[in-house]
Amino acid sequence: DSGVTQTPKHLITATGQRVTLRCSPRSGDLSVYWYQQSLDQGLQFLIQYYNGEERAKGNILERFSAQQFPDLHSELNLSSLELGDSALYFCASSPEGDSSYNEQFFGPGTRLTVL
Amino acid sequence: QQPVQSPQAVILREGEDAVINCSSSKALYSVHWYRQKHGEAPVFLMILLKGGEQKGHEKISASFNEKKQQSSLYLTASQLSYSGTYFCGISNSNSGYALNFGKGTSLLVTP
């Protein structure tokens, strides 16, 4: 158990819908990262927040957005869902903002299925 | 840019050795290695930094070749528990930009 929690574990929805994925980092960690994992693409970095502020952005679609709240939990919002958005979404946390030197602790993931 | 991992997959018998490579098209600042078992979250193995610093699990061995822009993970005397998918994540800068992960190398250790 990494100490990172994600809810829900599974999510099944229809195309065009909007969903929210939630992540609570390990106690004391200030950085939260979101990743998308599909079969053929491996781990794709989406976005990082550090202490409430956006720190780095990856290949995140405009239909996706995220935020980190004062209690440091984070939410990833996915809207106008398409079949191709079906994937496993991981959240990870680390103590500091510099991802080049800090190990990341991954949550169990949320499996999103878009029908 | 996404690093390239090789091989894509490898099957070993218990006790055999394997090497997994991770190559970057740009100069490397740090390389991170993670292992993911089926249906589970990735788990941290090791970080290697430009300049030779390393941190991670003592039983894991890896190298960082700055000139070749490449890192290699060495799995010796493999055990059944080593099975999983190994990902390398690279940082090309020390300014804290996020990691780019490779597509992974699937390792299966058989009895």
Side-chain angles (χ1 to χ4, degrees):
Chain A
D1 184 357
S2 67
V4 178
T5 61
Q6 289 186 249
T7 56
K9 190 170 182 179
H10 298 280
L11 201 47
I12 302 173
T13 189
T15 54
Q17 295 297 304
R18 172 190 167 94
V19 296
T20 297
L21 281 52
R22 182 187 169 103
C23 168
S24 292
R26 287 188 328 154
S27 176
D29 283 358
L30 298 179
S31 269
V32 169
Y33 309 79
W34 285 98
Y35 293 92
Q36 179 190 58
Q37 186 175 42
S38 53
L39 279 174
D40 59 344
Q41 289 298 322
L43 276 169
Q44 293 286 310
F45 168 70
L46 296 178
I47 198 164
Q48 176 197 1
Y49 277 82
Y50 174 70
N51 205 19
E53 300 288 327
E54 182 183 304
R55 179 71 182 244
K57 214 167 185 176
N59 297 323
I60 187 167
L61 299 172
E62 285 191 12
R63 300 183 285 109
F64 296 1
S65 65
Q67 54 184 326
Q68 186 178 30
F69 296 87
D71 67 352
L72 300 176
H73 91 270
S74 178
E75 292 181 356
L76 179 67
N77 300 296
L78 316 175
S79 62
S80 302
L81 285 168
E82 301 175 359
L83 295 178
D85 297 327
S86 294
L88 193 51
Y89 291 83
F90 283 107
C91 162
S93 74
S94 68
E96 298 171 18
D98 183 352
S99 58
S100 61
Y101 188 69
N102 286 274
E103 64 183 279
Q104 297 181 22
F105 297 87
F106 282 78
T110 292
R111 182 167 294 283
L112 173 66
T113 302
V114 182
L115 302 174
Chain B
Q1 289 190 341
Q2 189 174 43
V4 176
Q5 289 187 231
S6 62
Q8 284 186 310
V10 59
I11 301 175
L12 298 175
R13 288 196 181 274
E14 226 176 335
E16 292 181 337
D17 302 337
V19 180
I20 299 173
N21 299 305
C22 175
S23 296
S24 171
S25 59
K26 293 184 178 180
L28 288 171
Y29 178 74
S30 70
V31 179
H32 299 221
W33 287 97
Y34 287 80
R35 177 173 60 212
Q36 183 180 27
K37 293 186 178 287
H38 183 67
E40 299 180 8
V43 173
F44 169 77
L45 295 176
M46 172 170 276
I47 295 174
L48 301 100
L49 289 170
K50 178 179 177 178
E53 188 177 352
Q54 298 185 1
K55 70 173 182 177
H57 297 282
E58 291 177 2
K59 293 187 177 180
I60 298 292
S61 172
S63 66
F64 184 112
N65 190 319
E66 194 177 333
K67 192 173 179 181
K68 290 186 176 179
Q69 296 173 183
Q70 177 178 306
S71 176
S72 297
L73 184 69
Y74 303 97
L75 301 167
T76 57
S78 59
Q79 304 172 17
L80 296 177
S81 62
Y82 288 9
S83 293
T85 300
Y86 289 77
F87 291 97
C88 70
I90 63 171
S91 171
N92 298 112
S93 164
N94 65 345
S95 60
Y97 293 120
L99 299 178
N100 285 311
F101 282 92
K103 292 189 178 183
T105 294
S106 176
L107 174 72
L108 176 64
V109 181
T110 62

